[in-house]
Every structure is written in structure tokens, then in C-alpha cells.
């Protein structure tokens, strides 16, 4: 069953609410993610462990965008799913491991932490 836009928004909402899982027993190990962790640091650890950023071409083609989206894309974070302003910018990013499992990470972006800090994450197993 394809991952619909509604499911993505529900997932993003759950991530922003802090509802997520961090299972370390999946086929490809996650680094030790934690709330408040610097997103660029977590990203480096994920890539070092073989997790691949899921490029979101829609975000790369955005011409009328917010400053935080423009900044994140300029930093090479092509895995950006999107951002929502809630007094602060809350953004979500997506990675895939070699078994097709999807990791979504939610972050909050303040002026002092433009790269973002992790608020929550969830891993979805690839279902055949």
C-alpha cells in the first residue's frame, strides 16, 4: 500500500507531538538518537551507519519558501519532508536503510540552532 499524503501528515503530527519509536534491533542499527540531539550530528551518524537520505525532489524545487527551508536545503539536507511554523519551525526528515525501513525524524529549529535539534523519531518496517 503506498504511503499517502494523509498518512505523511498524520506521521508528521505524531512526530511533532513526540510520539515515536527508536528501535535499535532493526536489521540496520540506528545510532543512539536522543531528544535535544543536534540534527547535523545525528545525520552524520546515520549516514555512517548506512542509512541513506530519501531525497525529496519537491522540496528541492520550491521557489517560494520559508527561510528555514531555504537554509536546510542550502546545507544539503535533501531529505527534508517539510516544515511547519508553530512559534518555532518544526521540520521532518526521512532516511531509508538497505532493507527499505523508513526513519522519520522531527526537529525544532530556533535562531540559535539553525541545524535543528531532534524532538522525536519513528521507524517503519518495510512491508512486502
Amino acid at each position: 500500500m503506498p504511503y499517502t499524503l494523509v498518512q505523511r501528515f498524520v506521521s508528521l503530527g505524531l512526530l511533532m507531538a513526540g510520539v515515536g519509536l527508536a528501535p535499535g534491533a532493526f536489521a540496520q542499527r540506528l545510532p543512539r538518537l536522543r531528544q535535544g540531539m543536534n540534527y547535523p550530528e545525528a545525520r552524520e551518524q546515520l549516514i555512517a551507519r548506512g542509512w541513506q537520505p530519501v531525497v525529496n525532489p519537491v522540496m528541492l524545487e520550491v521557489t517560494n519558501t520559508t527561510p528555514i527551508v531555504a537554509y536546510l536545503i542550502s546545507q544539503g539536507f535533501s531529505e527534508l519532508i517539510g516544515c511547519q511554523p508553530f512559534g518555532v519551525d518544526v521540520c521532518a526528515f526521512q532516511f531509508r536503510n538497505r532493507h527499505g525501513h523508513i526513519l522519520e525524524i522531527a526537529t525544532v529549529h530556533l535562531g540559535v540552532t539553525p541545524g535543528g535539534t531532534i524532538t522525536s523519531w519513528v521507524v517503519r518496517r518495510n512491508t512486502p
Side-chain angles (χ1 to χ4, degrees):
M1 179 174 165
Y3 195 57
T4 67
L5 186 59
V6 171
Q7 289 171 317
R8 179 166 284 172
F9 280 118
V10 168
S11 297
L12 183 57
L14 290 173
L15 285 170
M16 289 184 288
V19 177
L21 305 173
F26 280 177
Q28 193 167 337
R29 287 187 53 216
L30 286 172
R32 186 171 180 88
L33 299 176
R34 62 190 184 283
Q35 288 183 338
M37 183 178 198
N38 178 282
Y39 176 73
E41 175 187 336
R43 183 181 193 271
E44 286 179 25
Q45 291 178 20
L46 284 162
I47 292 170
R49 292 202 180 180
W51 288 83
Q52 296 297 309
V54 177
V55 176
N56 184 352
V58 172
M59 295 307 295
L60 298 177
E61 296 176 10
V62 173
T63 55
N64 185 13
T65 188
T66 65
I68 192 64
V69 169
Y71 172 78
L72 293 170
I73 296 300
S74 77
Q75 297 302 299
F77 299 155
S78 59
E79 67 276 12
L80 178 65
I81 295 172
C83 296
Q84 294 292 322
F86 290 102
V88 295
D89 289 301
V90 177
C91 301
F93 302 86
Q94 194 172 70
F95 292 83
R96 179 179 289 120
N97 72 5
R98 67 179 172 262
H99 300 286
H101 299 149
I102 297 293
L103 166 66
E104 287 186 1
I105 299 175
T107 59
V108 64
H109 300 265
L110 304 170
V112 294
T113 57
T117 56
I118 294 176
T119 58
S120 60
W121 58 94
V122 63
V123 178
R124 295 183 210 322
R125 291 182 184 240
N126 182 20
T127 55

